[in-house]
Structure formats: structure tokens, C-alpha cells
């Protein structure tokens, strides 16, 4: 993000802001003025949603159904991003811009008659993730499924092998992916063959289990105090939500890791370094996160030594879920993100942890460090429920989080769909006097947002942070215009309140105020967005836009819009008695879209509605080039 200069203009302060157009000393009034035809979402479709220009904006409508979305960046090979999710035979979709998706159908070849493979993956086929195996020039899909419970085999262990993790391979990201038999050298490779005790594990599905059941079972027995409360199902430990992760060591060599969740009784996140994408380095196997505890060490100390631990403030007292792990590397640190609470309930959400190594030890960030990364804000967001199981993808240098949410926020269930929002890094402190970068999500959103930056064909990006900002009017004490273009949308009223109150602030005004954005050289501008306050009691109703433009002969003139309304019918709820707001959609904006204009500077004027003490403006975005 470019550094922005902020200037309080004494000249502007002399102008009568409320009637800026009539101020003779005002540059905007002295130049020829022409009203600017514009569009601001007044056209709606048959569902009542505003029709928007998809070349300029994006909205998290119901675009792709299914849960547990994972995006594979395959653009270097096929030119596409591939989206896999829990649906049918791991139905996939592909996209070149992360906004428009086309289906490619089922990718996992597991439903051809009633055979061993179909029985091994009989039900609960979950959470696929795919990695490209460069060494063998193939794609590997990791996923979980439950074997047919009606085909138990009696042995030392008699059970159903619930929630086993499997692997499948393909020459194409679109499949078909074929299951790996870990007892067959031709299927898995000689060096990766499992040598488990077949008398102990005679079940037909044992040979497909990703983890050698003897080795995995022995590790659990030897570490019973770390994984206390875990019990087996038929001699197997449940394994779900696999996540492959790649980084490089100090010598620049690629290092592979696999993360997943032990899912028998209470969850816990596991991690291991990999010899190759089908064989773990078992001596590196470790527990990375445990429900309700900030660290695994806290959990072990409480279990072993009876030392009471401090519990995570944003996990409920009965939460037994830490699942859907993902990993992001940033500035030499590793950020583990995972989901908490029940997947079919509104509080299902994403949290973040940090460590100096991919295998930890990890620490869950506190609320003051934005530990609660993505949520429905304790129910304050009425339009999003259960924003959880997720993945990350980078496009055009921007980091995005791809997550699922419930189809019906008023009635949470297993029916979910995919959404995507921008992730921003914010520098904060770690409590020990050290700087720490943490993730902040500009979401979850349901309203119009700028088209995703870096996507092919997206011409217009936010250039507000490249302007010098001047203020005329009544800024509230302690407020600043710097919050207008810091890149952070004000979304949360409750979640991670300590962090939000310190780092994600709104520019507050107590009376009619103008904000002028001046560019060093004239820029092409296509749209302007003014984001409303997350506090419905501090919301504005409209803004006025004036732009000093330059024609092809270098002559200046003004284009203006007297009133750009905030769409209160769609993005707010009001009292019939007096029209006051009692709810506002987090991350919603009033916007004006118009034909390209060459703009030197522009001014946005906002009034404080009658009966309100102040107005909060979360962000101003100027879409141009």
C-alpha cells in the first residue's frame, strides 16, 4: 500500500461546506459545472438484488454451492483456479478471475458399482484439497470419508473405520482422481507401501487409509496423555480435513507438510513433515492445536500437572471443534487458521494462530491480536451465518480468503455456499513489546465490493490511497481522515473488539464535512464508493460528489452528483416511526458508477442526519486507473 499524505486545508475550511457549490472562493464553484449521470444500484433483478456492473464490482451472491471450499492455483499450468468442495463426487469448478465459475463436474472416481473403493468411501465424503506433485507431474487429492458400516470385518478390532483420510491421484486437476492402494507398489510406489499388521487390521478399507494404521495407532498409544479423550472406532483414529502445505528452508529447498484433524471424540489439529506427498516423516508428527486452549503446552500442563489454563475467550465453554486447518507464511512466521464451533451453527467461524515453524509450537492469538478472524460477529451480522471452513489464494499480489457460509442465515444447516473476501495484514504488538503482523479480513460481505484486484480483465482498482486528503468541516475529537483510505473495512462491533477498536477505526464527523482527494497527476476515475458505519446509529444517508476533471484540451471543469443515496432498502432496517436505522449491513457502501473521467481532484461531502450526534465513514474507495 502506498503511503498517503494527509493535509488539513485552511482554504477549504473557509468555504461554506453545506452549500459548497455556492461558495464564490471555492474552485469547484468557479469552474463550469455539469451534472454527472450515474448509476447507484437502483435497478434490481427478480430477487430484489441490485444489478451491478461486473467489470467494476463483485458481490458474494450464491455463486457456487457446497461446503469446505479449497482453491488450487493452477494458473501456471492450465490458466485456471480450481475450486473443490464437499459435494457429490468432489464436484469442481474453475475460474480465471475467482469471481466467475464454470462447473467441471465430479472429479473423484469412487462410485463405479458396489466395490471395495465405493464401500471404503461409502458416506461422509468430506473436505478435499489438491496439491500438484511436481516430482511425479501429477495431482494428489486428499479427502476423508466413512466406510460402509454394514460391512464390518471381525478381527482384533471390530469396527467401522469411521472418518478415514484417503488419497487419490490424477494427471489433470479436473480428474478423474483414482484412489491410492497403499499395499500396491504400482499404485503408491515401492517406497510408500504400508506394512501394517493385517491381523490387527483385516478390514477391506485398511489398505486405502492414508496413514499406516499400525504406525498411527502406536503413536497415539505412546502419546496418550497428549491426545487424552481420544478413543478409537474399530481400532482407527478418525482423520479429516487434510491440508498440504509447502515452504522452503534456509537453503531454498522445498519442504512439504501435511496438516489434518484427529476427529475421534474431541478434535485436535495435527501436523507432520512429508518425505513425499504420500509418505510422512513419522518422527515429526505433532499436535498443533487443541480446542479451548491457547497452546498445546497449556493443555498438557493442565492434563499432566493439574495447572489450570486460561481458556480461549472466543471459544465457547463446550467447544470441542478445532478443524479445517490452513497455513499461510508471512514475513518469516507461520499462521495457522482453523474453524471453531459446530459447522451447522451460526457461531462457526475462523481463528488464527502464529508460530515460528510450520510445526509450531503455535499460539492462538488473543482478541486484542484479532484472534477471531472471520465470524458473524456474535450474531450482529444478520446476513451471514457460519463463515467457516476455508482456504487462501493469492491473485495479483492480493491475499483472499475463500470460505463457506450457510445458505439461510436465519436457519443454519449443512446447506452452504462459497464466498470470497480480501485479507489485509495489520502490524500490531504481541504483548511482549515486539511487532506482530496479523491477518484482518475485509468481510464477511454480502454487498457490492470492487472487482477483485489482480483478476484478468479488471481495469479499475482502488486508487484512493494514492491521493492527498484534505478535510473541511467537523471531524470528531480524536478522529482522523487517515482512516478513510487505510484499506480496512469496519465490519465488527463485537468480535476481537480490542483489536478493532485500536486498528480498524472510522472517520467520524459531527457536522457537514467535505473530504477532498487530490492526485499528483490526473487519473481516470470510473466509480466512487463511500462505506457506511458499522454502527447503525452513526450511519449517513447519502453523499455529494464533485470532481474537477480535465478535457482533451487540458481545460478544467466540474462534474457533480447532488446526492448519491445509501441503499437503505437493501442494506439497512429502519423504524417506521421516524426512519431511524436499527440495523445496517456490515461492509456496505453508497456508490456511484459513471463513464470514465480524467480527474485531478474530487470532493465528497457528507451531512449528519437530524437527530444524530455524529456520522462514521468506514472507508472511501475511488475506482480508477
Amino acid at each position: 500500500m502506498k503511503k498517503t499524505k494527509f493535509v488539513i486545508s485552511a482554504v477549504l475550511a473557509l468555504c461554506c461546506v453545506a452549500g459548497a457549490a455556492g461558495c464564490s472562493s471555492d474552485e469547484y464553484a468557479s469552474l463550469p459545472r455539469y451534472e454527472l449521470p450515474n448509476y447507484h444500484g437502483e435497478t434490481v433483478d427478480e430477487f430484489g438484488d441490485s444489478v451491478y456492473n461486473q467489470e467494476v464490482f463483485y458481490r458474494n451472491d450464491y455463486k457456487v454451492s457446497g461446503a469446505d471450499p479449497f482453491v488450487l492455483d493452477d494458473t501456471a499450468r492450465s490458466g485456471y483456479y480450481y475450486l473443490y468442495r464437499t459435494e457429490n463426487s468432489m464436484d469442481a469448478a474453475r475460474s480465471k478471475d475467482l469471481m466467475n465459475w464454470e462447473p467441471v463436474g465430479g472429479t473423484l472416481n469412487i462410485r463405479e458399482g458396489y466395490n471395495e473403493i465405493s464401500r471404503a468411501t461409502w458416506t461422509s465424503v468430506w473436505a478435499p484439497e489438491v496439491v500438484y506433485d511436481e516430482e511425479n507431474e501429477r495431482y494428489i487429492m486428499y479427502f476423508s470419508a466413512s466406510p460402509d458400516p454394514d460391512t464390518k470385518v471381525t478381527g482384533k478390532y471390530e469396527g467401522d473405520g469411521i472418518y478415514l483420510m484417503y488419497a487419490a491421484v490424477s494427471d489433470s486437476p479436473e480428474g478423474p482422481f483414482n484412489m491410492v492402494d497403499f499395499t500396491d507398489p504400482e499404485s503408491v510406489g515401492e517406497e510408500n507401501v504400508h506394512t501394517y499388521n493385517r491381523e490387527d487390521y483385516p478390514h477391506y478399507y485398511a489398505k486405502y487409509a492414508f496413514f499406516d494404521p499400525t504406525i498411527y495407532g502406536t503413536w497415539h498409544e505412546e502419546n496418550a496423555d497428549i491426545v487424552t479423550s481420544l478413543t478409537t472406532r474399530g481400532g482407527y483414529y478418525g482423520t479429516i480435513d487434510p491440508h498440504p502445505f509447502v515452504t522452503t528452508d534456509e537453503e531454498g529447498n522445498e519442504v512439504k507438510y501435511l496438516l489434518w484433524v484427529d476427529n475421534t471424540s474431541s478434535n485436535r489439529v495435527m501436523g507432520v513433515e512429508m518425505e513425499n506427498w504420500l509418505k510422512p516423516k513419522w518422527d515429526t508428527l505433532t499436535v498443533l492445536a487443541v480446542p479451548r486452549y491457547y497452546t498445546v503446552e497449556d493443555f498438557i500442563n493442565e492434563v499432566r500437572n493439574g495447572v489450570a489454563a486460561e481458556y480461549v475467550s472466543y471459544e465457547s465453554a463446550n467447544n470441542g471443534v478445532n478443524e479445517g486447518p490452513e497455513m499461510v507464511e508471512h514475513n518469516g512466521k507461520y499462521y495457522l487458521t482453523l474453524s471453531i464451533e459446530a459447522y451447522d451453527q451460526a457461531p462457526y467461524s475462523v481463528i488464527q494462530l502464529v508460530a515460528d515453524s510450520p510445526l509450531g509450537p503455535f499460539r492462538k492469538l488473543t482478541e486484542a491480536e484479532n484472534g477471531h478472524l472471520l465470524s458473524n460477529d456474535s450474531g450482529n451480522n444478520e446476513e451471514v451465518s457460519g463463515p467457516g471452513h476455508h482456504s487462501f489464494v493469492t491473485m495479483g499480489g492480493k491475499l483472499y480468503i475463500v470460505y463457506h457460509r450457510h445458505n439461510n442465515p436465519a436457519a443454519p444447516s449443512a446447506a452452504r455456499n462459497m464466498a470470497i473476501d480480501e485479507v489485509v495484514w495489520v502490524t500490531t504488538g504481541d504483548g511482549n513489546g515486539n511487532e506482530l503482523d496479523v491477518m484482518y479480513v475485509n468481510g464477511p460481505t454480502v454487498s457490492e465490493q470492487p472487482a477483485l484486484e489482480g483478476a484478468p480483465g479488471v481495469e479499475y482498482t482502488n486508487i484512493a490511497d494514492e491521493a492527498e486528503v484534505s478535510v473541511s468541516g467537523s471531524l470528531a475529537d480524536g478522529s482522523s481522515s487517515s482512516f478513510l483510505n487505510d484499506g480496512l473495512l469496519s465490519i465488527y462491533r463485537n468480535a476481537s473488539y480490542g483489536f478493532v477498536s485500536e486498528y480498524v477505526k472510522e472517520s467520524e464527523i459531527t457536522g457537514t464535512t467535505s473530504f477532498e482527494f487530490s492526485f499528483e497527476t490526473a487519473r481516470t476515475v470510473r466509480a466512487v464508493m463511500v462505506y457506511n458505519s458499522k454502527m447503525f446509529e452513526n450511519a449517513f444517508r447519502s453523499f455529494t460528489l464533485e470532481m474537477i476533471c480535465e478535457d482533451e484540451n487540458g481545460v478544467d471543469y466540474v462534474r457533480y452528483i447532488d446526492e448519491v443515496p445509501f441503499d437503505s432498502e437493501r442494506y439497512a432496517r429502519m423504524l417506521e416511526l421516524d426512519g431511524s436505522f436499527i440495523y445496517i449491513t456490515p461492509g456496505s457502501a453508497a456508490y456511484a458508477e459513471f463513464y470514465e473521467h480524467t480527474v485531478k481532484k474530487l470532493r465528497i461531502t457528507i451531512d449528519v442526519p437530524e437527530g444524530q450526534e455524529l456520522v462514521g465513514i468506514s472507508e472511501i474507495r475511488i475506482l480508477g486507473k
Side-chain angles (χ1 to χ4, degrees):
M1 181 179 294
K2 296 185 179 179
K3 187 173 180 63
T4 305
K5 302 176 183 177
F6 299 97
V7 179
I8 302 296
S9 172
V11 174
L12 277 175
L14 295 174
C15 295
C16 48
V17 178
C23 296
S24 59
S25 62
D26 188 346
E27 184 180 7
Y28 292 85
S30 62
L31 292 171
R33 296 173 60 83
Y34 307 96
E35 190 169 2
L36 178 61
N38 71 97
Y39 174 76
H40 47 261
E42 62 268 25
T43 303
V44 297
D45 60 20
E46 65 270 28
F47 303 106
D49 293 325
S50 64
V51 178
Y52 62 94
N53 185 345
Q54 296 187 28
E55 294 180 356
V56 181
F57 301 105
Y58 170 79
R59 191 171 62 213
N60 277 323
D61 297 321
Y62 189 117
K63 296 183 183 296
V64 182
S65 64
D68 311 327
F70 171 77
V71 173
L72 171 71
D73 183 353
D74 199 56
T75 53
R77 291 174 292 274
S78 65
Y80 287 97
Y81 297 94
Y82 281 89
L83 171 69
Y84 305 89
R85 72 264 196 214
T86 299
E87 183 155 298
N88 300 322
S89 294
M90 304 307 190
D91 277 12
R94 67 182 188 180
S95 173
K96 291 189 174 182
D97 60 12
L98 298 177
M99 296 179 288
N100 301 287
W101 297 90
E102 59 180 352
V104 299
T107 59
L108 184 57
N109 187 16
I110 57 174
R111 294 288 181 260
E112 291 189 4
Y114 188 68
N115 53 29
E116 271 194 349
I117 289 177
S118 68
R119 289 163 57 200
T121 58
W122 190 249
T123 186
S124 298
V125 185
W126 287 348
E129 294 210 9
V130 175
V131 66
Y132 182 66
D133 181 359
E134 293 190 8
E135 183 178 351
N136 296 291
E137 297 183 337
R138 63 183 178 180
Y139 297 84
I140 299 179
M141 176 185 285
Y142 304 93
F143 68 99
S144 298
S146 295
D148 184 352
D150 295 327
T151 55
K152 297 177 183 178
V153 178
T154 301
K156 179 179 179 180
Y157 300 109
E158 181 177 343
D160 54 15
I162 194 78
Y163 305 142
L164 290 182
M165 196 163 79
Y166 301 109
V169 297
S170 175
D171 293 329
S172 166
E174 299 182 15
F177 284 86
N178 296 304
M179 290 272 284
V180 172
D181 177 349
F182 284 90
T183 64
D184 179 8
E186 292 187 7
S187 177
V188 72
E190 190 74 45
E191 71 278 14
N192 301 322
V193 170
H194 288 181
T195 57
Y196 62 89
N197 188 326
R198 300 192 185 187
E199 291 184 1
D200 289 347
Y201 300 94
H203 313 86
Y204 66 91
Y205 44 77
K207 63 185 180 182
Y208 298 111
F210 183 82
F211 296 119
D212 183 312
T214 297
I215 298 175
Y216 199 54
T218 299
W219 184 91
H220 279 76
E221 292 170 4
E222 293 175 348
N223 294 273
D225 55 347
I226 300 178
V227 290
T228 183
S229 82
L230 282 182
T231 56
T232 66
R233 299 279 185 91
Y236 299 84
Y237 292 90
T239 47
I240 64 170
D241 295 351
H243 171 57
F245 174 73
V246 180
T247 186
T248 54
D249 60 20
E250 293 180 354
E251 286 75 39
N253 300 311
E254 183 180 88
V255 186
K256 305 176 180 69
Y257 294 90
L258 186 67
L259 280 58
W260 69 97
V261 174
D262 253 336
N263 183 246
T264 314
S265 64
S266 180
N267 287 167
R268 59 212 64 217
V269 176
M270 312 289 287
V272 71
E273 187 180 336
M274 302 291 288
E275 290 189 23
N276 59 62
W277 283 122
L278 295 177
K279 186 177 183 180
K281 290 185 176 180
W282 285 107
D283 61 343
T284 67
L285 179 59
T286 187
V287 179
L288 306 183
V290 179
R292 298 190 63 214
Y293 292 86
Y294 280 102
T295 67
V296 175
E297 182 182 13
D298 287 347
F299 167 74
I300 294 174
N301 281 340
E302 186 168 277
V303 171
R304 286 180 179 170
N305 307 317
V307 179
E310 178 185 1
Y311 295 125
V312 177
S313 61
Y314 44 80
E315 293 188 53
S316 65
N318 62 349
N319 177 52
V321 175
N322 276 187
E323 65 184 20
E326 295 290 313
M327 189 87 79
V328 174
E329 184 178 358
H330 174 76
N331 281 353
K333 290 190 179 293
Y334 296 87
Y335 295 79
L336 171 63
T337 56
L338 52 88
S339 297
I340 60 173
E341 311 298 340
Y343 72 89
D344 57 354
Q345 299 296 315
Y348 194 60
S349 50
V350 179
I351 69 173
Q352 60 179 319
L353 303 79
V354 68
D356 294 323
S357 161
L359 295 181
F362 280 92
R363 176 180 65 86
K364 292 177 182 175
L365 298 185
T366 65
E367 290 190 88
E369 298 167 314
N370 200 36
H372 207 179
L373 180 62
L374 182 70
S375 72
N376 76 338
D377 196 21
S378 302
N380 284 301
N381 190 329
E382 298 178 3
E383 293 149 288
V384 176
S385 171
H389 196 124
H390 62 290
S391 61
F392 293 96
V393 61
T394 300
M395 180 174 65
K398 292 276 189 178
L399 181 64
Y400 296 96
I401 184 170
V402 182
Y403 58 95
H404 73 218
R405 58 190 184 169
H406 297 132
N407 289 357
N408 184 356
S413 69
R416 289 155 287 178
N417 66 93
M418 181 272 289
I420 182 170
D421 280 304
E422 179 189 23
V423 179
V424 181
W425 291 99
V426 178
T427 301
T428 178
D430 66 358
N432 297 314
N434 303 311
E435 286 190 347
L436 176 67
D437 289 350
V438 300
M439 284 184 277
Y440 179 78
V441 177
N442 281 329
T445 65
V446 299
S447 58
E448 289 85 353
Q449 304 296 326
L452 302 187
E453 189 169 336
V458 173
E459 294 185 67
Y460 310 102
T461 59
N462 180 27
I463 59 174
D465 62 345
E466 301 176 32
E468 181 180 277
V469 181
S470 304
V471 183
S472 170
S474 306
L475 274 177
D477 290 343
S479 191
S480 169
S481 61
S482 64
F483 309 143
L484 292 175
N485 55 358
D486 59 6
L488 304 175
L489 294 187
S490 180
I491 299 286
Y492 293 101
R493 293 171 67 110
N494 281 346
S496 288
Y497 179 78
F499 172 85
V500 170
S501 61
E502 177 69 20
Y503 296 100
V504 190
K505 297 183 178 182
E506 299 178 354
S507 294
E508 296 180 337
I509 61 175
T510 57
T512 301
T513 301
S514 292
F515 302 97
E516 183 178 75
F517 293 76
S518 302
F519 296 101
E520 188 172 340
T521 58
R523 304 295 294 272
T524 299
V525 175
R526 186 72 166 77
V528 173
M529 306 181 72
V530 181
Y531 284 81
N532 223 326
S533 173
K534 66 185 176 186
M535 311 296 287
F536 57 81
E537 58 271 31
N538 296 339
F540 64 82
R541 303 305 193 269
S542 66
F543 71 88
T544 295
L545 174 66
E546 299 166 282
M547 301 191 301
I548 296 180
C549 305
E550 183 181 80
D551 68 16
E552 62 273 13
N553 298 314
V555 177
D556 291 347
Y557 64 97
V558 172
R559 280 289 201 176
Y560 70 93
I561 307 172
D562 272 336
E563 184 176 281
V564 179
F566 177 72
D567 191 350
S568 57
E569 289 190 10
R570 294 192 60 238
Y571 296 130
R573 195 169 66 251
M574 298 177 289
L575 285 175
E576 292 185 9
L577 181 64
D578 59 4
S580 61
F581 288 178
I582 55 175
Y583 174 78
I584 193 164
T585 298
S588 54
Y591 70 89
E593 176 202 348
F594 37 81
Y595 290 115
E596 287 185 352
H597 282 73
T598 302
V599 177
K600 289 183 173 181
K601 60 179 69 174
L602 61 83
R603 184 167 69 186
I604 292 165
T605 303
I606 300 174
D607 297 327
V608 176
E610 185 177 351
Q612 286 184 207
E613 294 184 359
L614 57 83
V615 155
I617 303 104
S618 168
E619 194 81 354
I620 291 178
R621 290 178 172 175
I622 302 168
L623 304 186
K625 56 185 180 180

